[in-house]
Amino acid sequence: MEPVLTDHAGAPLADVPGATPMSEREEHAAYVRRAPAPLHGSPLTLLRFMRAKGMLRPTYARLLMRYAWLRLRYRGRLQTDGLCFICPRVRLEIGRDAVLRIGRWAWVGHGCKIRVHEGEVSIGAKTVIGQDCTISAYQRISIGRECILADRVMLIDFDHGAVEVERPVRLQGIYKRDVHVGHNVWMGYGACVLRGVSIGDNSIIGTSAVVTSSMPANAVLAGVPARVIRMREAPTAMRWE
């Protein structure tokens, strides 16, 4: 189904007075995958949606109860944009002045550890995080929308100091730099993203790769340290804000 192009008010471009007809390619180029619209509708609307998606089952009921309990436990430190799914054995550690933001319909798999010591971690809408992944932040880690992280992926925004060889590492402090992962990024099993790294939209990171420097959009990465092994064709019908 072709996307319906709209203006900022939500009206179809074809119905906007004075709108200039666009070619098919221009229409594709204008299509932007935006974040989910603000929540609307009643609880009955949600139930109908869940029934249509096969979600009215005990498994999802338990996940929703866990979601409600975690929201109550962490209050303002766990912020969500509608429902998301946090599986059993997920360990959340959110500091007193830290924030964990999880987008609508995101999935955090069994056994994951998300530690927001300070600062902020944000996970975009419809992003799927596999089992036993680790996210550890002292400053900021952001993961875009509709990403897929396989099992045992790790993202970390700090390193320990180790310059003074005659002093214990644990006493040398840490270095912090933001980590940013774009939209529609796929990370293979055991991939690791280190501090200061930015990964562009639509990229793919190979199994067990260690990303130590920033990478462009549409790149395929592999190796230790990771390097670009090829570039994907940039999408013409899918862009991101």
Side-chain angles (χ1 to χ4, degrees):
M1 181 177 178
E2 291 295 327
V4 177
L5 304 177
T6 63
D7 66 0
H8 291 296
L13 288 180
D15 299 336
V16 177
T20 302
M22 295 187 295
S23 68
E24 182 178 351
R25 184 174 182 83
E26 287 173 331
E27 288 181 354
H28 280 307
Y31 177 48
V32 176
R33 292 183 69 86
R34 294 180 170 87
L39 289 171
H40 62 280
S42 65
L44 182 59
T45 302
L46 175 61
L47 287 174
R48 287 171 177 167
F49 174 85
M50 295 178 69
R51 182 179 63 182
K53 299 297 182 180
M55 297 168 63
L56 295 182
R57 294 183 292 170
T59 299
Y60 283 97
R62 287 191 291 268
L63 287 173
L64 293 180
M65 290 175 62
R66 179 175 173 80
Y67 164 80
W69 176 75
L70 289 171
R71 284 291 306 271
L72 181 63
R73 176 182 177 184
Y74 290 103
R75 300 184 184 275
R77 291 179 290 161
L78 174 59
Q79 301 177 7
T80 62
D81 174 32
L83 294 179
C84 60
F85 303 106
I86 302 174
C87 292
R89 297 191 297 107
V90 171
R91 182 173 179 180
L92 301 181
E93 298 177 13
I94 309 174
R96 180 177 301 176
D97 299 318
V99 176
L100 170 60
R101 293 188 173 91
I102 305 179
R104 202 179 313 169
W105 305 120
W107 180 279
V108 182
H110 293 256
C112 288
K113 302 176 183 66
I114 302 180
R115 302 185 179 106
V116 198
H117 309 279
E118 302 169 4
E120 176 184 315
V121 167
S122 64
I123 300 169
K126 299 183 181 180
T127 283
V128 176
I129 299 179
Q131 298 185 22
D132 298 312
C133 295
T134 299
I135 299 173
S136 189
Y138 269 95
Q139 189 159 291
R140 177 176 171 80
I141 294 177
S142 63
I143 303 170
R145 301 189 297 276
E146 301 191 47
C147 294
I148 300 176
L149 279 62
D151 296 349
R152 297 187 181 276
V153 165
M154 184 176 78
L155 297 95
I156 186 169
D157 72 349
F158 66 95
D159 278 330
H160 290 276
V163 175
E164 303 174 57
V165 296
E166 296 182 354
R167 187 182 184 196
V169 171
R170 67 181 182 84
L171 299 178
Q172 295 190 44
I174 58 175
Y175 303 100
K176 300 176 284 188
R177 289 179 63 194
D178 291 359
V179 169
H180 172 72
V181 177
H183 307 301
N184 191 38
V185 173
W186 173 23
M187 297 188 188
Y189 181 95
C192 180
V193 180
L194 302 184
R195 71 180 176 97
V197 167
S198 179
I199 298 171
D201 298 344
N202 311 312
S203 292
I204 297 174
I205 301 174
T207 297
S208 299
V210 179
V211 188
T212 60
S213 59
S214 294
M215 298 294 175
N218 309 304
V220 179
L221 316 175
V224 181
R227 60 183 181 85
V228 177
I229 58 174
R230 70 177 178 88
M231 295 297 294
R232 305 177 69 199
E233 184 177 351
T236 58
M238 181 174 68
R239 298 188 297 116
W240 303 89
E241 289 181 326

